[in-house]
Structures are given as C-alpha cells and as structure tokens.
Amino acid sequence: NAGVTQTPKFQVLKTGQSMTLQCAQDMNHEYMSWYRQDPGMGLRLIHYSVGAGITDQGEVPNGYNVSRSTTEDFPLRLLSAAPSQTSVYFCASTKAESYGYTFGSGTRLTVV
Amino acid sequence: GQQVMQIPQYQHVQEGEDFTTYCNSSTTLSNIQWYKQRPGGHPVFLIQLVKSGEVKKQKRLTFQFGEAKKNSSLHITATQTTDVGTYFCVTNAGKSTFGDGTTLTVKP
C-alpha cells in the first residue's frame, strides 16, 4: 500500500495561473479531506468528501474546487492562483469517522 | 465545524521533564483525536478517545478524555528529543479545522 499520495511535492505558480493538486489513496477509504497549513499555524479545512460523488466545503473553500468521481482520487483545483494561496497543502483520508486520518506528505505551493 | 481550544501554544522543556497539553471545549464532544506533526512533516494520527473518563497509554504518552467529554489532555513522561513537534487535538477530524496545536521543543 502506498497510502495517500500527493503530487506534485513542490510547485511555483504565477498569479492568475490555475492548477490541480493531485491526491490518491489506495486504501479504499471513503472519507477524504484537503487542508492548507500556513507557517506556524494549524491546518485549515478547505473541502472534504464522505464518498464518491459527495463533496462539501470546509472553513476556507474560496478559490478552490474539488470533485470526487472515484473513491481513490480527490483532486484540488486552484482556479486563479493568488499569493495568499501560498501554503502547504495536505490531503488526508480515512475509512470511517471512528478512525484516524492518514495524511499525505504534502504539496508546497508558492504563488508569485 | 466544532473546534477545541488547545493550550499552551508553545512549550519548551529540558529533556527528561514531563509535558502536558490540554484541549478544552465549551460543548460536549463525541470524540477527540490526537495527532503529532514533526517539523517539516505531515500530521500522524496517534489515538482517538470516545468514552467519558477514558485513559489510554502509548509507552510514555498518556491520553485522557474528561468525564464530561469537554476536555482532553496528552501527557508525555520524561520527554526525549524525538518528542519534538506539534501536537494537535481535533474533534470530527476530516470535517474540522485543526487548531494551532501545541509546539513542543526539547533541550537536550
């Protein structure tokens, strides 16, 4: 099992560009979430999904879109990158609410 | 989503000293999970507590859930340099924002 795989690990974008952060898990987990973590701060929830075809907004959804067409994949799309979106992005998954989340190793995004 | 407040935000200890971080909520929690994030790393799940008054141990780590299910604590006995990192408590993980956690530094 690879666990939760995030790609790319590093990315530099110009303001206004769009891109998709990839997240894939091979554990057949129903629940998946996206977080962003700014330096020295906690993790803020962007979007989450409780199963294929179901997504919902977290605390900071503006500027981000998600979709969950398969159980395995949960991509995060930045529509028009802004410097305020410079952050480390983590994807996480779990098989059920009563279990702990497994996190990916993160994507470090810089918007210039 | 429901959030819990965690204190202290930072804790510096000498190696061998004990360490405790506390999580508090104004409402009753259905569960609480604890995670550890090493510097430059990703959060790693440590444990989940669900029962009133529950106490769980993992080697030098002791986790408690309050009787009223409104607070929780993580206690580390005789800290080691490997304990360095940020400890987060969160309820309804995956649907909730993590707070700022408690960042532990250990002086050898």
Side-chain angles (χ1 to χ4, degrees), chain B residues 30-32 34 47-57 62-69 71-73:
Chain B
S30 58
N31 64 70
I32 195 143
W34 286 91
I47 210 158
Q48 173 166 276
L49 305 172
V50 295
K51 298 178 182 177
S52 169
E54 190 169 15
V55 178
K56 289 188 176 180
K57 294 189 176 184
T62 302
F63 304 84
Q64 294 190 356
F65 204 9
E67 293 290 342
K69 299 181 69 173
N71 55 71
S72 180
S73 65

Side-chain angles (χ1 to χ4, degrees), chain A residues 33 37 43 59 97-98 101, chain B residues 35 37 48 94-95 97-98:
Chain A
S33 300
Q37 185 174 36
L43 290 87
E59 181 188 3
E97 285 188 356
S98 59
Y101 273 77
Chain B
Y35 292 79
Q37 184 178 25
Q48 173 166 276
K95 298 179 183 177
T97 280
F98 286 43

Side-chain angles (χ1 to χ4, degrees), chain A residues 52-75:
Chain A
I54 306 169
T55 63
D56 209 342
Q57 295 181 350
E59 181 188 3
V60 289
N62 292 341
Y64 308 94
N65 274 355
V66 292
S67 60
R68 185 93 182 271
S69 56
T70 67
T71 299
E72 294 77 20
D73 300 297
F74 191 40

Side-chain angles (χ1 to χ4, degrees), chain B residues 7 23-24 26 29 42 48 50 63 65-70 96:
Chain B
I7 55 170
C23 285
N24 299 295
S26 58
L29 304 171
H42 58 274
Q48 173 166 276
V50 295
F63 304 84
F65 204 9
E67 293 290 342
K69 299 181 69 173
K70 290 185 177 181
S96 299

